[in-house]
Amino acid sequence: MTSIAIIGAGPQLGLAIARTFGSRGFDVALISRNPDKLDTLVGTLIAEGVSAAAFPADVLDRDSLTRALKDAAVRFGGIDVLEYSPVGGFDSTVLTTPSTTEPSHVQHEMEFQLYGAIAATQAVLPAMREAGAGTLLFTTGAGSVDHVPQVGNVNAAAAALRNWVINLHKELADTGIQAAHVAIDVSIGTSVIPGFPTAKPEEISPVYWELHTTHRDEAERVFSG
């Protein structure tokens, strides 16, 4: 069997990615900090015939995140694909322009985006190296590529994650392991910014399948609808 661990599993993109892989025979491990929401998503997937299980963890708690990934690997006999896309809330994320950004505004985002991604990768990469196969996929907004000043602090951390992932892709060349960055340049589901393009999560999730299967030489995809 093959499995995917989705970190930051949400009711939109996370669920769509789970369906994309699950419908092709993958076991699905969903990881996020809200157990109740996870249980709801797992119930939805199981009702659709997808093998899925919940592993609650907070990406800011490195030990918790590592333990969840290890438990998922035990449950499903390993992790073949890791997808990292935690989503912050306005209760924890202060949005700042570059000129008003304090170091603390970036530090939280670095912990949330870059450091969490590094910890997750360290938890699964050794087994992938041993197997000579695996896929590591990391998601940010497109501000990591084409910056938007209104969210300068978030973009700074997202750009750091993007840089790290593309370097990881180059490091892992010829090992059988794919690492790639996905930048999403649309609002998912419904528009939160007037005039900004939107896309359904089901329109975005095939990008992840392609990076895992037919586009393993690509280090990055920008989805713009």
Side-chain angles (χ1 to χ4, degrees):
M1 296 295 291
T2 49
S3 65
I4 179 172
I6 301 172
I7 300 173
Q12 294 198 68
L13 184 58
L15 182 59
I17 295 171
R19 284 171 166 153
T20 294
F21 281 80
S23 65
R24 291 167 170 85
F26 274 66
D27 295 318
V28 177
L30 298 182
I31 300 172
S32 75
R33 62 185 177 181
N34 190 316
D36 293 336
K37 288 183 179 179
L38 279 181
D39 288 342
T40 298
L41 294 174
V42 167
T44 297
L45 290 170
I46 290 176
E48 295 173 359
V50 174
S51 171
F55 300 88
D58 188 334
V59 299
L60 296 176
D61 182 342
R62 310 291 179 244
D63 291 339
S64 169
L65 179 58
T66 298
R67 185 166 55 252
L69 287 164
K70 298 296 185 183
D71 289 346
V74 170
R75 170 71 177 269
F76 293 128
I79 294 174
D80 302 280
V81 180
L82 172 74
E83 194 281 317
Y84 185 87
S85 55
V87 178
F90 291 113
D91 58 333
S92 61
T93 300
V94 177
L95 304 180
T96 63
T97 63
S99 64
T100 61
T101 297
E102 299 289 341
S104 61
H105 296 145
V106 179
Q107 181 60 39
H108 173 78
E109 289 302 313
M110 291 290 284
E111 294 279 357
F112 191 68
Q113 296 192 63
L114 178 62
Y115 302 157
I118 291 173
T121 300
Q122 292 299 324
V124 302
L125 184 56
M128 290 182 177
R129 284 190 183 276
E130 185 175 347
T135 300
L136 303 161
L137 303 173
F138 305 86
T139 305
T140 70
S144 60
V145 180
D146 184 11
H147 302 299
V148 179
Q150 290 86 345
V151 288
N153 61 319
V154 173
N155 288 341
L161 174 56
R162 174 185 182 244
N163 179 279
W164 179 79
V165 173
I166 292 174
N167 275 288
L168 181 63
H169 174 89
K170 293 182 177 181
E171 179 189 355
L172 296 175
D174 302 321
T175 66
I177 304 169
Q178 156 73 325
H181 170 245
V182 179
I184 299 178
D185 195 22
V186 296
S187 292
I188 302 174
T190 58
S191 178
V192 294
I193 302 175
F196 195 70
T198 65
K200 296 178 180 178
E202 294 78 14
E203 297 176 287
I204 304 171
S205 59
V207 168
Y208 297 84
W209 181 254
E210 292 167 5
L211 288 169
H212 171 61
T213 55
T214 57
H215 292 71
R216 295 184 64 81
D217 59 329
E218 293 185 20
E220 181 173 63
R221 281 282 193 93
V222 179
F223 184 93
S224 56

